[in-house]
Amino acid sequence: MKEKSIVIKIGGSLLFDMNHNINAQKISDFCDIVKKHPNYDKIIIVVGGGIIAREYIQIVRSFTQNEALCDTFGIDISRINARLLISYLGSSAYPLVPKSIEELSIANLQNRIVLMGGLQPGQSTTSVALEVAEYIAAPKLIILTDVGGIYNKDPKKFDDARLIEHINSADLTKLIIKRKNNLQAAAGEYRIFDTVSLQIIKRSNISVFITSGLNLEKFKRFWNQGDENIGTIVSDKK
Ligand code: UTP
């Protein structure tokens, strides 16, 4: 059966290698998987800013201390990254990057994959992905990042961090607030879930799947076979 629509967020961390070079192989591998979409009528991909966005933000912050201005650099870089994927996808993709939900509505009139970056200051591209999913009534959002899902502690710092396979929005909020001792709100640092994204998960019925995109095998299983056990599922459905 065809599912109507889906939103994918590809984290900026996957687009660049350790030397900050563009990971062209990853981009083409990812796009080749998405291009063949047996199950979806409408696909929106939100692309993150990655290390390049953070480099710009760091410099702008040292010049101005204006967080909103820093955010706009992150937004611009994520849009450039989205254009990179459009250039690979060619006629499978809508040629422009929508800069607002209204522009997304217009892009959606065409039967093509739509690529987006950031929308407005004060949030992450994960929030954009959730805003888009809510707006187009997509039941699912899949987030590809550089860790295997949500863990009980930071897997990059603790070897004994345990993957949480299922979590509801209330427990996710508690976990993230506890971990950050408050929600970090600086440009470039809205890690996996920021305040806006947590709010949208809470009020919507969207199931969010978080998995590693370092190796695309799990994503392939999700995409081609509908395997949902690929990392963490955030859902309030019983
Ligand atoms: P992200 O931090 O969301 O991209 O956007 P990312 O690199 O994919 O992040 P990870 O890998 O999920 O952690 C880059 C920056 O762009 C600005 C923020 O400063 C954000 O940190 N941004 C992005 C906005 O201000 N508004 C948006 O709607 C999106």
Side-chain angles (χ1 to χ4, degrees):
M1 193 186 67
K2 267 204 167 190
E3 297 193 36
K4 237 176 135 26
S5 48
I6 188 155
V7 180
I8 306 169
K9 145 117 195 231
I10 175 159
S13 53
L14 302 173
L15 304 178
F16 305 96
D17 66 19
M18 308 266 275
N19 302 319
H20 303 186
N21 295 318
I22 296 171
N23 192 341
Q25 188 66 49
K26 173 72 64 191
I27 292 171
S28 55
D29 288 349
F30 168 73
C31 291
D32 286 340
I33 297 170
V34 173
K35 246 186 186 171
K36 300 188 197 100
H37 43 94
N39 297 324
Y40 303 103
D41 288 330
K42 175 58 46 204
I43 300 165
I44 316 286
I45 303 172
V46 180
V47 187
I51 188 75
I52 303 297
R54 277 184 258 284
E55 281 193 3
Y56 272 95
I57 286 168
Q58 207 185 331
I59 301 296
V60 176
R61 185 178 287 131
S62 76
F63 292 161
T64 72
Q65 295 171 347
N66 179 337
E67 285 300 308
L69 183 64
C70 291
D71 277 334
T72 63
F73 279 80
I75 292 168
D76 283 343
I77 297 296
S78 62
R79 288 175 179 164
I80 292 271
N81 292 341
R83 288 188 56 206
L84 199 57
L85 272 70
I86 292 174
S87 73
Y88 184 83
L89 285 165
S91 60
S92 301
Y94 184 72
L96 305 177
V97 177
K99 296 193 169 109
S100 65
I101 289 287
E102 288 81 7
E103 288 186 10
L104 170 67
S105 306
I106 305 209
N108 266 345
L109 296 174
Q110 291 201 15
N111 193 19
R112 299 197 198 184
I113 301 171
V114 177
L115 282 293
M116 295 182 71
L119 286 180
Q120 67 268 325
Q123 63 175 31
S124 65
T125 49
T126 300
S127 293
V128 173
L130 279 151
E131 285 158 3
V132 166
E134 190 176 40
Y135 187 74
I136 66 166
K140 292 177 190 171
L141 159 66
I142 176 157
I143 298 176
L144 301 178
T145 182
D146 60 354
V147 291
I150 303 290
Y151 291 77
N152 65 334
K153 27 186 168 171
D154 188 342
K156 290 185 181 158
K157 291 190 190 139
F158 300 95
D159 287 344
D160 63 340
R162 182 177 49 79
L163 178 75
I164 300 169
E165 290 178 359
H166 286 92
I167 191 165
N168 63 31
S169 61
D171 288 344
L172 177 70
T173 305
K174 269 191 239 153
L175 182 80
I176 288 182
I177 289 178
K178 191 173 90 190
R179 191 175 299 166
K180 292 185 175 160
N181 234 344
N182 203 325
L183 280 166
Q184 173 61 264
E189 292 303 328
Y190 311 104
R191 303 315 305 229
I192 299 186
F193 291 104
D194 58 333
T195 332
V196 180
S197 53
L198 290 169
Q199 290 300 336
I200 300 175
I201 296 180
K202 242 189 240 171
R203 75 181 189 185
S204 70
N205 224 1
I206 302 162
S207 297
V208 184
F209 301 85
I210 302 126
T211 191
S212 171
L214 292 174
N215 166 327
L216 291 169
E217 284 311 310
K218 286 184 177 164
F219 175 59
K220 241 193 226 168
R221 288 209 317 264
F222 175 94
W223 196 250
N224 296 325
Q225 288 136 40
D227 182 356
E228 297 189 338
N229 297 315
I230 47 163
T232 300
I233 304 175
V234 183
S235 172
D236 286 341
K237 290 184 190 128
K238 293 280 173 293

